[in-house]
Every structure is written in structure tokens, then in C-alpha cells.
Amino acid sequence: MIGWLLFVVLSAALGGMAGLTEPTGAEQSVRDSARATAILEEAGIEEPPAESVMVASRTEGGWRTAAADVVRAVEDTGRVKDVREPLPSKDGRAALIGFRMRGAADSTDEKPITEVLDAVEKVREGHRGEGVEIHQYGEASAGKWLNEILGDDFAKAEWTAVPLALGILLVAFGALVAALLPVALAITAFLAANGILALVSSRLHIDEQTNSVMLLMGLAVGVDYCLFYLRRERDERAAGRDAQTALRIAAATSGRAVLVSGLTVMVAMAGMFLSGLLLFQGFAVATILVVFIAMLGSVTILPAALSWLGDRVEKGRLRLFTRRGGRGRERTAAHPGGTGQPGGAAQPEGAAQPEGAAQPEGAAQPGGAGQPEGAGRHAPGGRISGALLRPVLAAPGLFAAVAAVAMLVLAAPALGMKTEQLSLEQQMSEDAELRVSAEKISETFPGGPSPARVVLKADDVRSAETRAALADFRSALREESSHFGKGVETRVYADSDVAVIDVPLAGNGTDEASLAALDTLRDRLVPDVLEPAAADGQAYVTGELASSTDFNDQLRDGIVPVFAFITAVTFLLMLVCFRSLPIALASVVLNLLSVGAAYGVMTAVFQHGWGDSLFGTQAVGAIESWMPLFVLVVLFGLSMDYHVFVVSRIREAKDRGAATREAIREGVRATAPAVTGAAVIMIAVFAVFATLSMQDMKQMGVGLAVAVLLDATLVRMVLLPAVMMLLGERNWYLPRWLGWLPRMEHGEAEFDATGHAGAANGHPGAEPATVDEVPGGARRRQPVG
């Protein structure tokens, strides 16, 4: 435990000293957008942030006095330069004033833009009641909003998600110490991973947004792994095992499942390296780090803490969760479903206490007098899971068909999914002042707030050929007035032989008109007019829409290898883990159903606006471009947690000799409380992200919360048992040519009184055993004598 704390403190301290190294603009972009940005960065050109102020009036020319006041006010701040004369609109009722902030675009000093915003606000107040509207939007004002929102949102996620998880665990365990363990593991894993990530970022630059993703994943897997491990240990203690034996059994069962699940999640996350996008490579490194550390902690520090705490893990028990009578763990509903056997703790199915093993006070001895019928077996899970399972196992075909159809219906809207890199104004809520300003400016001056940017690298930008090409380009833009707006701005950097042309696009910046204008620039005007004058044809188009288009194109090409990698690796890992071809295939298909349903809900809510008010958001007509791939990878990873734990418990019962129906029933019901608790925590954490201000965080929160809800209910409680029931003994089919696969044990060994492995189930050194029938038709091995 001391070693773990030192590891966490050292990692966090070293990472804090190193700091997070964020990617450059060129590294964050791809294709032509990246090439254009790279030219500017190599030339040392730091484009100052551009700002636009629109002054609108009810009458033609009624804006002139207010516009003059705006120009004077912003110039008096001393924070701006290159202030342009007001550009009138087509109807003459508005004018656009453009200027640039002094200083670099990536400056973290918000004082200059704050002073400019205050100056414009004073002019607005001075002309209030005169029928004049003043709106401001630009890179600096949007950046100020973004920095404030990111700080507030991250703090909200951190300080809301953790107490939520703790509260749910307190309800699940009924004891403060037991509830604190999973949260403590998740938080320390996140802190250590965060520090190591900062060190790694010196080689692979990491986007700041990755921290939120890592916190989410750290809470998810850290709590899951600890919850499953702790639940199994408490099951065994409630079944009459001594503390050391219970820990060894938990390590041999849940500990093994944690390792398999963690490996599956990490390998699935590694698929993001194939996307070709730095953002996803950062996500991959961050999630692999936090999952590895959480997995490592679950099989080291957790059993160490449980060994040290012993029965003190029950400290802080709430009266609400305490039963009358009994002692400590004997009055706790610790095992699945929380039922106890009369006269003492319930025994897991097939478990026999070796002669002389210590029994808890009041426990019935195997074979002894007064043992109630069914003693010596795990009590089944809770009433709810039992009630749900009964009809599913009775009519598996019907329930499998209904559940599959329901998932496919939910997934149907995804067929029309539209993705794009959401602009900053799209990230804001509909009533945000900056978004209102951006939309009004775009409506009156198309392309004004976010023009396309053409970057030209020439051998000699001052040559007659280059000057002529620039003049011809401006003429061509005027001839294509249906595609391009007013206010084309050209800046020539003679020392670097670079020219930058800002070209307002028709439309609202993301619609068909804007896309057509971008295509005209890239496919015809730039190649025909500018490229002949460029050095080695270096003339590229960037900007918000161009970057979004390039990013989408890269994602579209990259998602195929990522998808193929994740599905193939998941299939192979499940095949090795369970030595079953049907189980491996079912794992992939069920996960794909969950992902499809998540896509469908996201598309319905955030693209079409169906029920968006129920989620406290507004539709923006598109899904953030990186979201589908991210959701695919995260859901494949998280859903494998539940799948591995449930199927492992089913296989454990099967290996003890239970019939297929009984094994499914026992496995699902035994894991139902833990899976439900883990799912509720994940849904709550994701729901916190759905309440944040940024649109992409809302989409991620809603998509993942809905997917986990469906995965833990329809998939794990209905589809999985129904499909396995239909397959029957074919669940465990493995072709002969795959017989060389390693065999992984899923059952627990019999343990002697000292807690060491003894006789059972073919383990090396086992005593001769006989097979006895036990109540319920299950079969178990019991040591002779």
C-alpha cells in the first residue's frame, strides 16, 4: 500500500513539473489543412486573432454613428490593429467592422480581448434604445469563452462524478469503507496516469481534451474492476470462507476476469492508433495508461487493502442498510441478491468446507444436522434478476427476437448520420450571446466570422508573376459572387514569401452552399490560378470548414482499419478466454448492437432533434466528427467488462457440472448486482458529461449513457442469456483444429483451512473426488472423506 501511494505521488509530481505538451495547429490538422498550417508555422507567421463587429440598424445607413463609435472605442484600447472601414451589407442596413488583436493567436492572456469586449459593450449601452444592434464574434472572443467553459466543465465533471459514484457504491455496499475503496482506486489510477501522460506528451503531443476522457475512463474501469473483485470477496466471506481464502478465491476468479477484461480494453483502445489522427492517438495513450494502472491496482493494491482491513471493510455501516441481529458480515446482503441461508451464511454452489475448516458462528456444517435444504450453495441473485430471467429462459427465441428488433430500431437513425467538426458557435447553447452574434453576422455577411483561408508559398512573393496571380485570384472570386462574400483580405509576408487570403464563403459556414464554395476553391480556382505561381504547387485551403472536411475524410478512411482491428482482436481474445467459437462471435455481435443503438440515439437527438429537450440540449444538425469512432472504441472496451464477468461466472457454473439452463441462471443472477451497480455508476458519470456546456461532451455523455444502459439491461439480461439458451451445449463448441488453444480455468479451486489450493476439479495435487448430486440438479465435485 505504501508502494502504491509512492507510485501515485511520484507520477503526479513528475507530471506536474513536466506539464502537458499540446499539439501545434499543423499536428491537429490533416491533409491540405495541415499543409497550409505547416507553411505558416515553418515561416514563423503567427496570425493574430481576427474579430468582427456588426452594427445593424432598422434603416439604411442608420448604423454609421454607432459604427464610428465602435471603431474609435476599439482603437482607443490599444489592443487592436488593422481596423478596417465598415463594410456595408447588400441592403445597406448593417456594416461589418473587422480588426485583429495584437499578440499571438495562442496567447493565454485574456486581458486584451476582455478590454475590447468591454469597450464594445459601452458603445452598445450608449446606443441602446436607438434601434441599433451590435454583435461581436471572433477567434479571441470565442477562445475566451472556450477557456472559461473548459475550466468550469472539467471542475464540474470532477466534483460531480466522484461523489455520485461514491453515493451509488454506498447504497450498493451499505458501508462507507467498502464504498470508498473503488473510488479511491479510480482516483489514484487517474492521478498516476495523468502524471505519466504529461511525461509522454513530450514525445506524443496530447490535446487538453484528453484529460476529460481519461477521467471518464479511469472512473469507469477503476470502479468496475474494484467493484467486481470486492463483490466476489464479500460473496465468499458471506459463504463462510475465512478472510485469506476469500481473497484467494476472488483472485482466482474475479482477478483473472479483471486481467482478461483489462487486456481486452487496452487492445481495443490501441486500435485508435490506426486512425491516422493525433487526437485519437492521444486518446489511445491516455486510456491505455489509465486502464493498465487501474487493472494493476485491482490485482495488487486492492487485495492488499482488503487483507489489511479484514472485517473493518464493513466499518461505517449505515443503519438503513443494517439488518437486525447477526454479526458483521453475516447480517450483510453481501452475496448476489443479498439472500442468506437460515441458520448461517450461504455456501456457494458446489463449495465444500474441508474437514476442520473454520466456520463462522452459527454456520451449518456440510452434512451436519440442521442444515437447511440447499445449504452449501450460493444463494441466487436478487428477485428482480430472477423475475426477468424466468420468462427469458422459458421462451428464449421470442425474447431474443424482440430484444434484437428493439436494438435495431434504436440503431436505425444512424443510417442517416452526418458528421462534422463542430464550430465553436455550434458548441455553445442556442441562447449563448456569442452564438447569437455569430449566427446574425453569418446571416448578414456570409462567411464573415469563419472565412476560408488560402495559403500560398511562392519562390518570390514579390515577383510580377505572383502579384499577377493574386490579382487574378481576387478577380475570379468577384466573378464567383454566388459562392463568395464581400471582404476578401490579402496579407503578403515578403520575408517568408508567403501570402494569405481570407475568403468569406457563401452560406452559414457548414451548409451545402458553403461546401460548394469550398469545392470551387479547392477544385478549380486555387489549382488553376494560384498553383502555377506557387513554389512546387504549395497553395492550400484551410479554415474551419476546410479543416472539418479534411478531418471527416481522414476519419472515413481511418475508421475501417480501426473497426476491423477492434472486432478481430475482441473475437480472438474471447476465443482464447472461453475456448468457444459461438461465445466469441456473440461477443462481437452483441457489442455491435450496443454501438449501433448508441449511434442511433445520438443521431436522433443531436442531428434530428427528436426529444432533445428531454436531454437538456438542442440539436445542431450533426454529430461531432470524432464521436462515432470514439464511442465505438470506448463501448467495445466497457461492454467487454460486463461480458467477461457474466460469461466467466456462467462458465464457472458449467465447469462445476451444472446444466446449461442452471449455469446461465446462476451466472447471470450471481453477477447481476455487481453489473447493475457498475452500470448505474457509469450511467451517472456519463450523465454528468451530458450536462456540460460543450456540445461534443453532451453527445459523448448521452451516447455512452444510453449504450451502457442498453448493454446492462437488454443485452446482458435478455439477449445474452436468450442466445446462450438457444445454443445450449453448442455454446462451448470449439473446432478440433483449434484444440491447441490454451485452456483457462474459470472455476474456483477447493481451498483447505489454511487457504491453500487443495482438491478439486482436476487441479494438480487434488485428492480423489467423487461426483455427487446436489439439490437443483447441479453437479459438483466433493473431496472424499
Side-chain angles (χ1 to χ4, degrees):
M1 291 173 66
I2 293 172
W4 177 262
L5 291 176
L6 287 175
F7 163 67
V8 172
V9 171
L10 185 62
S11 299
L14 290 176
M17 289 188 290
L20 189 70
T21 305
E22 297 190 51
T24 64
E27 290 174 329
Q28 289 176 313
S29 306
V30 292
R31 304 193 176 189
D32 277 5
S33 297
R35 297 182 186 104
T37 307
I39 290 174
L40 297 177
E41 291 177 353
E42 289 170 5
I45 298 172
E46 294 186 357
E47 292 273 277
E51 287 288 309
S52 299
V53 178
M54 184 183 76
V55 184
S57 61
R58 297 172 185 169
T59 59
E60 185 175 346
W63 47 265
R64 296 187 184 279
T65 302
D69 290 345
V70 168
V71 171
R72 186 164 46 253
V74 298
E75 287 180 334
D76 288 346
T77 64
R79 300 292 190 175
V80 305
K81 63 179 182 179
D82 301 333
V83 181
R84 290 182 292 172
E85 289 296 318
L87 177 68
S89 61
K90 288 183 179 180
D91 61 7
R93 295 182 179 181
L96 188 67
I97 304 163
F99 55 88
R100 291 188 174 273
M101 301 295 300
R102 294 186 183 275
D106 58 356
S107 174
T108 57
D109 185 8
E110 295 182 356
K111 187 176 179 180
I113 185 59
T114 301
E115 292 180 6
V116 172
L117 288 169
D118 290 343
V120 173
E121 179 61 29
K122 287 182 180 178
V123 176
R124 184 184 293 115
E125 288 295 327
H127 290 272
R128 191 174 299 278
E130 298 178 6
V132 174
E133 290 184 12
I134 300 177
H135 299 282
Q136 179 177 351
Y137 183 83
E139 297 173 50
S141 53
K144 179 178 182 294
W145 175 88
L146 180 62
N147 289 336
E148 292 174 352
I149 288 299
L150 283 178
D152 293 345
D153 278 3
F154 187 75
K156 180 179 179 180
E158 184 175 353
W159 293 108
T160 306
V162 173
L164 259 180
L166 179 59
I168 295 168
L169 286 168
L170 193 56
V171 173
F173 288 118
L176 182 60
V177 174
L180 281 171
L181 281 176
V183 174
L185 175 66
I187 294 301
T188 53
F190 167 72
L191 291 175
N194 199 38
I196 296 174
L197 185 68
L199 299 175
V200 173
S201 70
S202 63
R203 302 300 300 271
L204 179 70
H205 297 168
I206 303 294
D207 191 272
E208 187 179 9
Q209 207 170 12
T210 306
N211 285 327
S212 296
V213 173
M214 190 165 63
L215 171 65
L216 183 150
M217 288 300 298
L219 274 176
V221 297
V223 169
D224 274 9
Y225 295 161
C226 190
L227 181 61
F228 286 123
Y229 199 108
L230 183 56
R231 173 68 71 173
R232 186 58 185 260
E233 188 271 346
R234 282 164 60 96
D235 284 356
E236 299 304 328
R237 290 289 280 143
R241 307 282 190 181
D242 63 84
Q244 292 301 314
T245 302
L247 278 175
R248 291 177 184 273
I249 294 175
T253 53
S254 292
R256 184 188 296 116
V258 164
L259 292 175
V260 172
S261 177
L263 178 63
T264 305
V265 174
M266 288 189 291
V267 173
M269 296 300 173
M272 289 190 281
F273 285 114
L274 301 177
S275 66
L277 294 165
L278 185 66
L279 176 67
F280 283 99
Q281 293 172 1
F283 285 168
V285 171
T287 50
I288 289 172
L289 270 176
V290 76
V291 169
F292 175 75
I293 295 173
M295 179 186 72
L296 185 66
S298 296
V299 296
T300 56
I301 184 62
L302 178 59
L306 290 174
S307 179
W308 174 65
L309 286 169
D311 286 337
R312 286 176 294 177
V313 76
E314 299 284 354
K315 289 287 187 181
R317 175 158 294 282
L318 302 183
R319 290 180 180 273
L320 179 63
F321 305 104
T322 304
R323 293 182 179 180
R324 285 187 174 182
R327 296 171 38 203
R329 54 187 164 80
E330 293 171 343
R331 66 175 182 261
T332 304
H335 51 283
T339 58
Q341 294 296 337
Q347 298 292 330
E349 180 178 4
Q353 290 293 339
E355 186 175 355
Q359 296 290 332
E361 182 181 348
Q365 299 290 340
Q371 186 170 358
E373 182 181 357
R377 305 175 60 194
H378 257 309
R383 295 192 182 117
I384 296 177
S385 59
L388 288 174
L389 269 178
R390 195 173 298 113
V392 170
L393 297 181
L398 173 63
F399 278 90
V402 171
V405 168
M407 297 289 281
L408 291 173
V409 168
L410 288 173
L415 296 174
M417 179 187 287
K418 174 189 174 186
T419 61
E420 65 184 48
Q421 266 191 313
L422 300 179
S423 62
L424 273 180
E425 60 265 27
Q426 287 175 299
Q427 295 277 15
M428 303 173 188
S429 61
E430 280 186 335
D431 57 352
E433 183 179 345
L434 273 178
R435 179 169 178 175
V436 172
S437 296
E439 290 174 346
K440 287 187 176 291
I441 294 174
S442 292
E443 183 180 342
T444 309
F445 296 91
S450 52
R453 180 164 292 173
V454 181
V455 178
L456 168 69
K457 173 67 175 177
D459 291 321
D460 182 3
V461 77
R462 291 167 290 190
S463 67
E465 179 187 6
T466 305
R467 291 200 304 269
L470 291 173
D472 291 343
F473 184 69
R474 288 191 292 268
S475 298
L477 292 174
R478 285 193 293 271
E479 292 173 3
E480 299 279 354
S481 58
S482 60
H483 287 309
F484 308 106
K486 294 181 179 181
V488 175
E489 182 183 358
T490 303
R491 297 179 300 285
V492 176
Y493 299 90
D495 293 343
S496 307
D497 289 319
V498 172
V500 180
I501 309 104
D502 285 344
V503 183
L505 302 175
N508 63 10
T510 59
D511 60 9
E512 294 299 325
S514 299
L515 288 170
L518 179 65
D519 289 341
T520 301
L521 269 181
R522 284 184 157 177
D523 298 340
R524 188 157 50 84
L525 297 187
V526 171
D528 294 348
V529 182
L530 291 182
E531 281 188 8
D536 300 322
Q538 296 183 76
Y540 307 108
V541 181
T542 185
E544 283 190 11
L545 181 60
S547 296
S548 174
T549 302
D550 289 341
F551 196 90
N552 268 339
D553 291 343
Q554 180 63 42
L555 266 180
R556 197 174 296 113
D557 294 342
I559 198 170
V560 175
V562 173
F563 175 80
F565 176 84
I566 291 174
T567 52
V569 166
T570 300
F571 173 81
L572 291 175
L573 285 173
M574 293 301 98
L575 185 63
V576 172
C577 179
F578 296 109
R579 289 177 57 87
S580 165
L581 192 60
I583 293 295
L585 287 172
S587 303
V588 174
V589 173
L590 294 180
N591 281 350
L592 290 179
L593 282 175
S594 296
V595 172
Y599 285 177
V601 171
M602 289 166 58
T603 304
V605 173
F606 295 99
Q607 183 173 319
H608 302 306
W610 301 343
D612 55 356
S613 60
L614 298 176
F615 295 94
T617 185
Q618 305 93 23
V620 292
I623 304 300
E624 172 64 47
S625 53
W626 57 267
M627 198 61 61
L629 181 55
F630 178 77
V631 169
L632 168 71
V633 175
V634 170
L635 284 184
F636 251 81
L638 290 182
S639 62
M640 290 316 299
D641 280 353
Y642 306 147
H643 191 81
V644 168
F645 281 100
V646 174
V647 178
S648 290
R649 202 63 178 260
I650 294 173
R651 186 61 188 257
E652 182 180 335
K654 183 66 179 174
D655 288 347
R656 286 201 307 268
T660 298
R661 179 190 293 270
E662 179 65 17
I664 295 171
R665 184 193 65 81
E666 179 184 332
V668 173
R669 294 183 70 182
T671 55
V675 169
T676 302
V680 170
I681 291 171
M682 290 306 95
I683 293 168
V685 170
F686 295 145
V688 170
F689 280 80
T691 65
L692 302 185
S693 304
M694 300 287 287
Q695 179 73 201
D696 53 1
M697 291 293 104
K698 288 180 179 291
Q699 293 183 3
M700 180 177 70
V702 170
L704 292 178
V706 169
V708 170
L709 174 64
L710 293 172
D711 193 82
T713 53
L714 272 182
V715 173
R716 303 301 155 205
M717 293 297 296
V718 179
L719 267 175
L720 177 63
V723 169
M724 292 188 72
M725 190 66 192
L726 289 172
L727 289 172
E729 292 302 317
R730 290 172 300 215
N731 277 303
W732 318 112
Y733 168 72
L734 184 72
R736 288 186 178 179
W737 58 275
L738 289 176
W740 54 270
L741 289 175
R743 185 177 298 276
M744 183 176 291
E745 296 291 341
H746 293 275
E748 65 193 54
E750 294 294 337
F751 289 81
D752 61 25
T754 62
H756 297 290
N761 301 332
H763 285 272
E767 298 290 339
T770 59
V771 177
D772 297 328
E773 293 292 334
V774 298
R779 299 170 69 81
R780 68 181 182 190
R781 292 190 179 274
Q782 196 166 358
V784 174

